[in-house]
C-alpha cells in the first residue's frame, strides 16, 4: 500500500504519518502463512550469481523489503515479472558491479556485495540498513570477503570489494553462529576457485533453503550439521525454479495472537518442523493447538509466565523474543527473557510500558510482571519485530492502540491488512 512512497523517499516526517490503529479483538478464522522474508531476500541476492532465468514460487511479493530489493536488482541490470506469488527474474543487460542507490538501504546489501564480487570480481553497495539491533556490525562479512581474496573498504557511504580475478576458496572460521555471514560465505564460495569450508555455521531453515536453490542451479554444497559447510566452487551457475519455505516468524505471530486473544485460528502452510522448540515452550505455557495435515489450529488457551533465552536454531531466535514478551505480559506472574544474540534488545518494552506493561531490566535479563490490564494509546514501531509486538499487545488492550511507523511491520508481514480482516481484527489505517 505504501511501497512507492517509501521506496522513493527518506522523509521521516512522511513515514511517521503512516499509522495503523487496532482495538481489542478475538482472532477467529483462517490465515495462510506467506513465503519467508528472511529466505526470499537471500534468494534474490543469489539470483545475481547467474545471467539465466530464475523463477521463484510462494514468493512474498507484497513485502516492503522485497520491493526495495527488487528495485536494487533492477538498478544492477536485472528485470523481473510478478504474477501472484511467483516472480521471474531475468538479466536484460550486462550486470553492473556498482549499486547506485539514494533511498533506504537494507541489510541484504551485504549479500549483494558478496554475489557481485563472486561473479564480477568487484562490487560497490550502500552500507547496510535494516533494524537497529545494537551491536550488529558487518565485520564478519568483511572478514569472509578478505579470507577469499578480496580487498574491502568503505567509501562515501558505500562498502566496496575487489579481487584479482575469481575469489579463491579457503577456510572461513565464524566466531559466532551468524546467519548473514554464513549465507554470504556460501554465496561467495559457490563461484570461488576450489573448496571453501565454513566452520561454525548457523544452520537454520532459511540457510538450507538458500543451499537447496543454489544446488539446483549447479552449485556443489554439502552440509555437515552445525560443524561445517563445504562449498566446491564452480565456474558458472544455471537458472532454476524454486519454492520459498513458509515464514516461521509470521506463523508464530498468528499462533501467539490466537492465545492472547482467546481466539480460534487455523494457520495454513504452517512450518511445524521449523518451530518445534518454540511451540514446546508455548505448549508448556498454556497454548492449546492441534496439528493438521499442513496447518496448525490454535484454540485459545491461558498464557502462563515464560522463561526463555534466545539461541541458534532450532532454539528461540532473537526475532521471536518480542512476541514472547507480549505473551508473558498477558500471563499472571513474572516472565524472564535473556537475548544471548543481541544483549539488551529490549527497546520496544518502553513502548509497551505506555500501554501498561510493567517490567525491569536486570543486567541482560528482561523481567516482565504480567497480568496488568493494557490500555490503548499511541506508540511507535521502532523496528519490524517491535512493531508486530505492539500490534499484538493492541489486540488485548482496552481502547484504541495507534502504531506510528506501521511501515516497519509491513517490511516483514505480507498482505497484513487483508489477513487482519480475515481474522476479524478491529483495525483502521
Amino acid at each position: 500500500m505504501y511501497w512507492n512512497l517509501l521506496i522513493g523517499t527518506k522523509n521521516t516526517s512522511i513515514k511517521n504519518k503512516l499509522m495503523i490503529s487496532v482495538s481489542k479483538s478475538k482472532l477467529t478464522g483462517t490465515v495462510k502463512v506467506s513465503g519467508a522474508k528472511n529466505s526470499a531476500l537471500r534468494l534474490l541476492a543469489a539470483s545475481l550469481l547467474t545471467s539465466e532465468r530464475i523463477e521463484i514460487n510462494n514468493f512474498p511479493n507484497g513485502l516492503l523489503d522485497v520491493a526495495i530489493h527488487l528495485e536494487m536488482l533492477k538498478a544492477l541490470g536485472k528485470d523481473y515479472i510478478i504474477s501472484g506469488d511467483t516472480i521471474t527474474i531475468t538479466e536484460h543487460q550486462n550486470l553492473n558491479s556498482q549499486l547506485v542507490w539514494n533511498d533506504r538501504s537494507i541489510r541484504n546489501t551485504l549479500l549483494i556485495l558478496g554475489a557481485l564480487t563472486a561473479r564480477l570480481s568487484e562490487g560497490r553497495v550502500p552500507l547496510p540498513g535494516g533494524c537497529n539491533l545494537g551491536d550488529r556490525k558487518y565485520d564478519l562479512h568483511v572478514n569472509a570477503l578478505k579470507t577469499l581474496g578480496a580487498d574491502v573498504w568503505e567509501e562515501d557511504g558505500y562498502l566496496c570489494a575487489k579481487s584479482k580475478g575469481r575469489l579463491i576458496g579457503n577456510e572461513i572460521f565464524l566466531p559466532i553462529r551468524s546467519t548473514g555471514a554464513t549465507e554470504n560465505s556460501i554465496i561467495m564460495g559457490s563461484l570461488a576457485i576450489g573448496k571453501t569450508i565454513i566452520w561454525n555455521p548457523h544452520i537454520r531453515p532459511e540457510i538450507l533453503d538458500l543451499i537447496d536453490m543454489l544446488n539446483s542451479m549447479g552449485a556443489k554444497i554439502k552440509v555437515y550439521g552445525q560443524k561445517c559447510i563445504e562449498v566446491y566452487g564452480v565456474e558458472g551457475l544455471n537458472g532454476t525454479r524454486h519454492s520459498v519455505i513458509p515464514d516461521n516468524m509470521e506463523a508464530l505471530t498468528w499462533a501467539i495472537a490466537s492465545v492472547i486473544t482467546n481466539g480460534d485460528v487455523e494457520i495454513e502452510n504452517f512450518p511445524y518442523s521449523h518451530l518445534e522448540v518454540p511451540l514446546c515452550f508455548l505448549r508448556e505455557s498454556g497454548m492449546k493447538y492441534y496439528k493438521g495435515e499442513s496447518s496448525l489450529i490454535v484454540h485459545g488457551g491461558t498464557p502462563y509466565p515464560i522463561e526463555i533465552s534466545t539461541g541458534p536454531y532450532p532454539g528461540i531466535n532473537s526475532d521471536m523474543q518480542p512476541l514472547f514478551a507480549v505473551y508473558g505480559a498477558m500471563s499472571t506472574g513474572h516472565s524472564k527473557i535473556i537475548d544471548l544474540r543481541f544483549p539488551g534488545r529490549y527497546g520496544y518494552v518502553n513502548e509497551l510500558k505506555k500501554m501498561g506493561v510493567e517490567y525491569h531490566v536486570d543486567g541482560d535479563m528482561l523481567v516482565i510482571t504480567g497480568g496488568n490490564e493494557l490500555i490503548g494509546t499511541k506508540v511507535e514501531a521502532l523496528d519490524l519485530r517491535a512493531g508486530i509486538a505492539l500490534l499484538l499487545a493492541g489486540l488485548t488492550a482496552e481502547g484504541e492502540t495507534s502504531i506510528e511507523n506501521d511501515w516497519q511491520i509491513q517490511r516483514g508481514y505480507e498482505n497484513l491488512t487483508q489477513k487482519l480482516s480475515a481474522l476479524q481484527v478491529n483495525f483502521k489505517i
Side-chain angles (χ1 to χ4, degrees), residues 192-226:
I193 297 173
K195 182 169 71 172
T196 298
I197 304 178
I198 306 157
W199 297 99
N200 195 39
H202 191 183
I203 304 300
R204 56 186 294 177
E206 294 84 359
I207 285 176
L208 295 176
D209 199 28
L210 172 64
I211 291 172
D212 285 346
M213 188 176 100
L214 286 173
N215 280 340
S216 73
M217 294 168 65
K220 298 179 180 179
I221 306 168
K222 294 182 179 180
V223 179
Y224 295 91
Q226 299 284 1

Side-chain angles (χ1 to χ4, degrees), residues 379-392:
V379 290
E380 181 182 357
L382 302 176
D383 59 50
L384 165 57
R385 307 308 173 186
I388 197 63
L390 292 169
L391 190 148
L392 292 187

Side-chain angles (χ1 to χ4, degrees), residues 81-323:
I81 298 174
I82 293 173
S83 177
D85 66 351
T86 296
I87 185 165
T88 303
I89 302 169
T90 55
E91 195 165 297
H92 65 273
Q93 64 182 55
N94 291 334
L95 194 66
N96 298 321
S97 63
Q98 299 188 38
L99 174 58
V100 179
W101 192 256
N102 296 315
D103 300 317
R104 187 176 76 84
S105 186
I106 54 177
R107 191 163 180 83
N108 220 52
T109 56
L110 293 169
L111 301 192
I112 293 176
L113 179 63
L116 292 174
T117 309
R119 182 174 163 194
L120 303 176
S121 300
E122 62 180 338
R124 186 174 186 266
V125 301
L127 291 172
C131 295
N132 181 12
L133 303 181
D135 188 20
R136 194 187 190 197
K137 308 299 183 183
Y138 44 87
D139 56 306
L140 297 181
H141 297 261
V142 172
N143 289 339
L145 279 159
K146 289 182 176 179
T147 299
L148 298 184
D151 294 324
V152 187
W153 68 97
E154 290 185 23
E155 181 179 278
D156 300 326
Y158 283 78
L159 188 63
C160 310
K162 188 170 185 176
S163 62
K164 297 177 181 178
R166 289 170 60 191
L167 295 172
I168 306 297
N170 203 342
E171 295 185 73
I172 298 173
F173 297 88
L174 299 179
I176 59 173
R177 294 192 188 279
S178 164
T179 300
T182 300
E183 293 163 338
N184 219 349
S185 300
I186 293 168
I187 285 172
M188 292 187 292
S190 296
L191 291 181
I193 297 173
K195 182 169 71 172
T196 298
I197 304 178
I198 306 157
W199 297 99
N200 195 39
H202 191 183
I203 304 300
R204 56 186 294 177
E206 294 84 359
I207 285 176
L208 295 176
D209 199 28
L210 172 64
I211 291 172
D212 285 346
M213 188 176 100
L214 286 173
N215 280 340
S216 73
M217 294 168 65
K220 298 179 180 179
I221 306 168
K222 294 182 179 180
V223 179
Y224 295 91
Q226 299 284 1
K227 176 187 176 184
C228 70
I229 298 173
E230 291 186 354
V231 186
Y232 297 84
V234 296
E235 289 190 12
L237 293 175
N238 309 314
T240 192
R241 178 181 294 173
H242 182 77
S243 186
V244 184
I245 60 173
D247 194 302
N248 54 51
M249 277 299 304
E250 183 192 350
L252 190 67
T253 299
W254 301 128
I256 287 178
S258 182
V259 180
I260 64 176
T261 65
N262 194 29
D264 192 354
V265 176
E266 181 174 9
I267 308 167
E268 297 178 337
N269 201 28
F270 193 94
Y272 183 85
S273 63
H274 299 167
L275 290 168
E276 289 185 277
V277 172
L279 286 176
C280 181
F281 274 88
L282 289 167
R283 183 178 58 214
E284 297 300 317
S285 301
M287 177 182 284
K288 295 179 180 178
Y289 64 79
Y290 311 90
K291 287 177 62 177
E293 186 173 331
S294 61
S295 68
L296 193 78
I297 299 170
V298 183
H299 185 60
T302 302
Y304 305 147
I306 51 98
E307 293 189 9
I308 63 166
S309 62
T310 66
Y313 181 81
I316 296 170
N317 70 42
S318 183
D319 281 352
M320 295 175 182
Q321 59 98 346
L323 303 179

